DNA sequence: AGTAGAATATGACAATTGTTATAGCCACAG
DNA sequence: CTGTGGCTATAACAATTGTCATATTCTACT
């Protein structure tokens, strides 16, 4: 069998995503992710033979898919509902971690890989952002927004939410999220009706 | 004399800001910042007796003030001009670094300090964000925007730009910046006139 | 029961980290 | 000339890093 106990591997990935979202990419060590997932260090290199790069890449994809699932589901009730779910998702992470956790995809995006090679993790982060943008853009188009407008607005939403989460962490306050929520919601409504 | 050669100290701070903006907080070592600034390691601890925490805090403040100066100047020509300058500033950094550098303030915001103590660097990052927001909000108010609206929109602008810069790095493309620029500019114009 | 292969345990490797200590240099004051 | 103090050089420290190698346990199928 290739995977006897899938939950062990998954626990490592989810734990890595959580740790990256708190301490950043480089401060997240394989040893601590293993400890955090109650898995032995030896197992980590068994599950992820390509090492940290592979683990990080999977952690990014994991977060991306987990978020995309929620977004896809809530967008069925329209773009504003999708936005609200997106915001609520990150607000929950920020608040429940006492402003210590954020988005691991963002964290991976802003830490240059030590080597000059193109990083698989960075490419995964780009894919995740694009996926989120496309989900939002498609929903906007379904509600009558011009294709170009929809793509632009979708980018703005993703970027603003990511930036806002980081600002909340720095300020130890959810006020930035409140501000951004209000502005984005009004903007979506205006764009749909316009 | 307290400072014989001020440029040495300043070079270390500016270099630290640059390195943090590329590799993140934890991957930026004192040794390498010293090397990057052509300053000896011993000098770094001479100039920054409180160690890395102090150096990082000053790097954040340095970036904050440097950006605020540009913002303050360009905002004299109105909020849209200010936005354009703000975007151009970060676009330059992203493009000229070949998508390897971003905003050090954001980087510091998303890396939890190892200790549980409240980090001086994180507080500095919060201050910088607030400063930028206030500059934008004041300009919006001067152009007839309601105070609450102005604060909300200012938060959105800062958050969106920070998030967009990170997305550009992941995607190795300036398209996110183009999208965000278009949307934010239209939003400011609509808000002023509305 | 026996055995292949997955999973774990353990230890080592060179490299790098923040920080401190100690000694030396060099300019300028008296 | 003497020496005071800002700056530099160098070495060392314990801790941690990613990674690899090896040995051992466990699991599942024949």
């Amino acid at each position: 069998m290739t995977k006897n106990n899938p939950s062990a591997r998954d626990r490592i990935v989810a734990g890595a995503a959580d740790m990256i979202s708190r301490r950043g990419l480089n401060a997240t060590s394989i040893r601590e992710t293993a400890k955090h997932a109650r898995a032995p260090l030896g197992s980590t290199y068994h599950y992820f033979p390509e090492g940290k790069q592979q683990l990080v890449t999977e952690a990014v994809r994991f977060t991306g898919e987990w978020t995309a699932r929620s977004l896809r589901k809530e967008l069925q009730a329209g773009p504003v509902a999708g936005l609200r779910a997106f915001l609520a998702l990150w607000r929950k992470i920020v608040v429940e971690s006492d402003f210590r956790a954020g988005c691991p995809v963002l964290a991976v995006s802003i830490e240059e890989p030590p080597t000059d090679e193109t990083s698989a993790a960075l490419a995964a982060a780009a894919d995740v952002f694009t996926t989120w943008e496309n989900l939002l853009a498609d929903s906007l188009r379904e509600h009558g927004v011009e294709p170009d407008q929809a793509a632009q607005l979708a980018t703005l939403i993703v970027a603003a939410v990511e930036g806002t989460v980081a600002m909340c962490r720095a300020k130890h306050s959810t006020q930035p999220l409140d501000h951004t929520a209000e502005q984005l919601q009004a903007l979506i409504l205006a764009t749909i009706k316009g």
Side-chain angles (χ1 to χ4, degrees), chain A:
Chain A
M1 262 237 235
T2 313
K3 297 190 208 170
N4 188 11
N5 181 10
S7 76
R9 212 191 108 110
D10 291 354
R11 258 185 298 130
I12 298 178
V13 172
D18 178 61
M19 291 181 59
I20 292 170
S21 83
R22 294 170 185 264
R23 342 214 278 201
L25 171 57
N26 288 291
T28 298
S29 75
I30 306 247
R31 277 175 181 81
E32 299 226 331
T33 45
K35 202 173 295 177
H36 184 270
R38 273 187 252 292
L41 173 62
S43 294
T44 306
Y45 275 93
H46 174 75
Y47 291 122
F48 310 95
E50 293 165 43
K52 190 176 186 178
Q53 184 78 220
Q54 185 185 1
L55 173 56
V56 169
T57 303
E58 298 209 19
V60 167
R61 283 204 263 257
F62 170 81
T63 305
E65 281 162 25
W66 188 77
T67 304
R69 249 189 314 271
S70 166
L71 198 51
R72 208 173 342 245
K73 178 182 157 204
E74 304 292 337
L75 278 173
Q76 290 174 351
V80 172
L83 169 73
R84 274 210 268 259
F86 197 44
L87 287 162
L89 186 152
W90 294 114
R91 181 191 291 267
K92 187 169 145 76
I93 288 176
V94 167
V95 169
E96 290 189 353
S97 69
D98 197 28
F99 303 100
R100 279 193 263 266
C103 175
V105 185
L106 180 70
V108 169
S109 300
I110 68 167
E111 298 199 35
E112 190 181 51
T115 67
D116 292 283
E117 321 156 21
T118 48
S119 153
L122 198 61
D127 276 354
V128 167
F129 285 140
T130 301
T131 300
W132 294 349
E133 289 177 80
N134 285 342
L135 285 172
L136 288 162
D138 286 347
S139 173
L140 288 166
R141 292 190 193 105
E142 284 171 20
H143 286 72
V145 178
E146 294 266 341
D148 289 356
Q149 272 275 324
Q152 286 180 6
L153 182 48
T155 300
L156 176 70
I157 292 170
V158 173
V161 172
E162 291 287 333
T164 303
V165 167
M167 286 172 70
C168 286
R169 290 178 69 182
K171 296 187 174 194
H172 282 263
S173 161
T174 58
Q175 201 198 47
L177 264 173
D178 298 330
H179 285 188
T180 295
E182 202 73 39
Q183 287 288 307
L184 286 182
Q185 176 166 334
L187 179 56
I188 291 178
L189 288 174
T191 304
I192 289 178
K193 297 192 178 153

